[in-house]
Amino acid sequence: MSTPLVPYGQGRARGLGAAALGVHGDEMDRLVALGLPVVPGLTVPVGHAEELTDPAVARSAVDLVSQLAGRTVGDPAHPVLLRLVASAPLPAAGLPPEVVAIGLTPGNVDGLVGVIGRDGDLHQAWGALLRLLAEDALGVDPAERDDALAGIPAPRDQLSALLALCATSGLGPVPEDAAGQLALAATAVLRRWASPRGARARRTQRLPPDLGLALHVQALRIGHWERSGHGLATSRDPETGRAVATGRFHRGVRRTAPSAAGSEESLSGLGPAGEVLQQALTTLEHHFGSVAEVGFELRDGRVSLLSAGAVERPTPRAAVCLAVDLADAGVLTRAGAVRSLAPSAVQELLHASVRLTGSEAVLATGLAASPGAAEGVVCLSAQRVLALAADGTPAVLVADETDPGDVPAILVAGAVLTAHGGLASHAAVVARGAGTPAVCGASSLRIDRAQGLVSAGDLQVREGEVVTVDGRTGTVYLGAVDIRPAEPPAELDRLLGWADGSRRMGVRANSDTVRETEVALRLGAEGIGLCRTEHQFLGERLPLVQRMLLAPDAAAHRAALEELRRAQHEDFVHLLRAVGDRPVTVRLLDAPLHEFLPRDAVYEDEAARLRAAELHEVNPMLGVRGVRLALLDEELYPAQAEALFLAWVQVVEEGVRPLLEVMVPLVSLPEELAVAAGQVRLARDRVEAQTGVRVPYLLGSMVETPRAALLADRMAEHAHFLSFGTNDLTQMTYGFSRDDVESRLLRSYLDRGLLTASPFAELDADGVGALMALAVDRARRVRPEIKIGLCGEHGGDAASVAWLEGLGLDYVSCSPQRVPVARLAAAQAVL
Amino acid sequence: MTEASTAAVPLDDAARAALLELAVRGLHRGALGPAQRQLVDAGLAMVKGPLVMPTAEGRAAAADELRLPEGGEQETTLRRLMTTFLPINHRLRELCTSWQRRPDGSANDHGDPAYDAAVRDELDDVDEAVGRVLRRMAEAAPSLAHYRADLTAALEAFDDGHTGMLTSPLEPSYHTVWMWLHQELLLMLGMSREEDGELEAALVAAPSA
């Protein structure tokens, strides 16, 4: 049976796909079907490749390619050489190299040089061909070859020496005919694929060990070098995302894969052929529904394609612009455009990113705790950060770990770097909320505050020197690294607008401050789904809070609390103005009280020290926090609620009308919720007595203990809304302490396959999700109209959002920076 | 310690070898052995925390020791081979960059086996090319011969799954060993880094036609 030789474009008619034709043969078929110009060539299918090592089969291939090209090898006026390319049935890297200039002989080389007009390219190509044949097909020892060529300077003489060496030391002379050379080239390529090197490439890519190759013989038409060339082009400029063919182009005869540096020019040198290329790329974009890339050849000013494919990882900018352009062109529906974009691409567009050159020195690596990148001056204290920020100098807060007293510094710092702590450490959570890039748990760091020195292994930086923090990869670089600020293209707004039109779930933001609220609203949040009031107790308020906590008697306690209430009132006024007429969920104080005590343990007097000692807890996470505080100090929640309601009365007079939602944290007994609800009503009544305004609000409960989830029906009797706090719910369902587990256990669990993702990053549908499903079901049975949402990081995780859509939640609330991701993911979940 | 006394203390062979190693590698990490102790005592090296580093005097002494006779046959051969080595050196740096970051400038998270496999495959070409020039260099200067085995050891460790063994500066990685080789060549030829960089740039930019 004769060897099948399948011309480009004829595979489909014979019922052949990539399994037989290889990825390349299949691709060329597709290009021909699209009416695009391709280089003439043929495929020897998988399973028949070995047959091409037979000179008789190679002869048939040479004849068929000559016929397809309309040129014969050896024709002095319209010469053609051959190129041998291999491809596998699956996309694979590490394939044998292309073999070019098959058919060159000492007899025809001078004539070809005359046609081309210069000799460098051709001699190089010939040298590459001869070395490959000598080494991989004729068994010439590379060391012997090196020695034989060592004393010969002129390239042409080297080639003659190489030919002579093959004849004397190899298995035989290099054949003088194209078919004989092609057969040897096929031998060399197949041996390379069978070699340990090829085996390693298959192994590392998890490809079948016996993966076969298809061989492709192409015509390499020879013309004058000024009107010939080869290059690579993609359909979009990766920097701007615009549909402008972008790539490199080498003028002259094709030597090897078009990546050789130094002799390239931009595509503008293509002249009118550039337009043909642009049209081909547009056709391919529409065909692939993806950014396209091609390898192309230029001959006598005409372009023909050597390869084409979809770009696997287009830049996020290119991906967004493409989706919108395809929708505008009618190739995709708007829903299709929304579906086509990966949520991670949206995320990347919104963060500054570093541009590496490869010469950067890495100081340390840690957990990628908060995305974005920034450079700044190393500061080993919050005070230093604040001092620098005051005169506009970007600062990087570097600390073993951070505490609430560092929050103001984290808000203004360019970036945060900690040596300890996991993805839920204080620094990480605050930084994400603030949109400050952060790397946490960089355990190689040694911080010596007394000496003003940070070291990691042999590397050192002093306080005051510059580092660059990449919170997306968890890498910290010495010195300043090129950083590209986030400038999302206008196309992103259009696409997210389409997404908003499709989604069912609401998207809100977790925001504690005016600044975060403004960012969240600009990024499309419909309201605030979680305003933590803890921050109102930090910074310059801290001494006040400490006075309240350590008050020697009831009168002193009340006085401090009243002062706090007034301060909180101001905070709420600013926040509510920023929120406008939108909903805002204010969570009453949740943090354990000891967090507000002086870290340096310096107290006014011995009595204060003793009162502080009483607040000490063995396990604060499961101790007196959340609603439990309100049962021990019955004035705390009423004071907070009163401050909020009075602020509302004030802003309503100014003309905005926020929709207030008051939320009680860490409830595990429905009775706790009833008490807290009573305290909030008390505040409402006080405000009504004082102002004559009866403030409308909804009261709701966090669901973050398993017991609250199990008793959601009874919680619903007291609540207008429920909001899952999935961080705590995950901790308590697993019995995981997040910081400890993420820093010490998670890696091992992931490696062993016990977990596929951190349950704190991607919602655990099996366990935590089952509790949530049960809670939703029970709550709605009692109060069908009850609003149920989620506030926490899962609200900004695309996979979790998709799952939450299935659960029928009314809204998710996530950090401001992730609002666009949630908008897109919520739309994709219903499309 | 005065210069006169520095010169007066003769170094034993182990100390001389340690001095050359310090000059080539830039530093010595780990316990202070008798050889390093001798160097420190002679003012040729200094201790900085866990590191031993050459002093300016130490660097100068090592450079004198390694420097090939000017105009001699060895120097001429190595200088000629440098013109082959430097373009390969350029390729290795590009390759290490590809390993660390993707073409779009983002860090390589090693989540794409095909991308990593392509880089690794190219490393074989670089390794083969440097092996060829190294063989000729070692014929002229046998003290360089061990670099072939050292590079191979790094490559094998890398293929065994020690991913840091390609570029990590803290390991005797492929890149680290390569840099030692490069530094030793410069010292043997008395070439400055500037001269070296300019020569490499000129060789890489040379029109290939």
Side-chain angles (χ1 to χ4, degrees), chain A residues 54-77:
Chain A
D54 174 353
V57 174
R59 164 56 51 201
S60 313
V62 172
D63 289 346
L64 182 51
V65 171
S66 303
Q67 194 187 324
L68 294 167
R71 295 178 174 211
T72 46
V73 176
D75 176 345

Side-chain angles (χ1 to χ4, degrees), chain B residues 84-165:
Chain B
T84 309
F85 174 76
L86 288 176
I88 309 170
N89 184 54
H90 182 80
R91 278 173 74 190
L92 178 78
R93 277 194 282 113
E94 301 257 287
L95 186 140
C96 288
T97 305
S98 300
W99 181 254
Q100 291 167 326
R101 61 155 210 153
R102 298 182 61 96
D104 63 5
S106 63
N108 181 13
D109 61 6
H110 304 293
D112 179 353
Y115 180 84
D116 283 356
V119 176
R120 175 63 189 84
D121 194 62
E122 200 189 330
L123 182 57
D124 267 9
D125 291 335
V126 172
D127 186 62
E128 193 219 302
V130 81
R132 280 162 48 195
V133 68
L134 200 47
R135 189 174 68 89
R136 311 195 70 76
M137 286 174 166
E139 280 171 9
S143 64
L144 296 172
H146 68 92
Y147 283 111
R148 176 62 275 177
D150 297 349
L151 287 171
T152 301
L155 204 49
E156 282 172 355
F158 176 75
D159 284 338
D160 283 345
H162 301 288
T163 48
M165 288 302 279

Side-chain angles (χ1 to χ4, degrees), chain A residues 187 252 257 354 403 449 496 541 563 586 613 684 762:
Chain A
T187 302
V354 305
D403 60 57
R449 286 179 66 163
L496 289 175
R541 307 272 170 75
E563 232 179 295
V586 174
R684 195 255 332 256
E762 186 175 333

Side-chain angles (χ1 to χ4, degrees), chain A residues 34-98:
Chain A
L34 289 169
L36 297 174
V38 302
V39 72
L42 60 80
T43 297
V44 184
V46 175
H48 294 277
E50 197 70 38
E51 295 162 29
L52 193 62
T53 63
D54 174 353
V57 174
R59 164 56 51 201
S60 313
V62 172
D63 289 346
L64 182 51
V65 171
S66 303
Q67 194 187 324
L68 294 167
R71 295 178 174 211
T72 46
V73 176
D75 176 345
H78 298 98
V80 64
L81 294 172
L82 301 174
R83 175 168 51 223
L84 182 65
V85 180
S87 75
L90 306 165
L95 290 168
E98 298 178 11

Side-chain angles (χ1 to χ4, degrees), chain A residues 698-723:
Chain A
L698 301 180
L699 186 108
S701 174
M702 294 282 289
V703 178
E704 48 195 333
T705 65
R707 194 171 196 277
L710 292 167
L711 300 185
D713 44 354
R714 291 187 45 210
M715 308 279 287
E717 291 169 11
H718 306 284
H720 300 106
F721 68 93
L722 297 177
S723 181

Side-chain angles (χ1 to χ4, degrees), chain A residues 93-94 118 120 124 135 143 145-147 150 197 200 204-205 255 313 315 354-358 458 472-473, chain B residues 29 51 97 100-102 104-107 109 111-114 117-118 120-121 124-125 132 135-136 159 208-209:
Chain A
R118 59 181 190 183
Q124 273 199 16
E135 210 170 307
R145 182 196 67 204
D146 271 4
D147 291 343
R197 179 172 176 175
R200 186 195 57 224
T204 55
Q205 296 171 84
R255 293 170 299 177
R313 291 197 189 188
T315 61
V354 305
R355 293 180 59 75
L356 301 176
T357 64
D458 301 335
R472 195 171 61 85
T473 61
Chain B
R29 195 181 290 117
L51 304 177
T97 305
Q100 291 167 326
R101 61 155 210 153
R102 298 182 61 96
D104 63 5
S106 63
D109 61 6
D112 179 353
R120 175 63 189 84
D121 194 62
D124 267 9
D125 291 335
R132 280 162 48 195
R135 189 174 68 89
R136 311 195 70 76
D159 284 338
S208 47

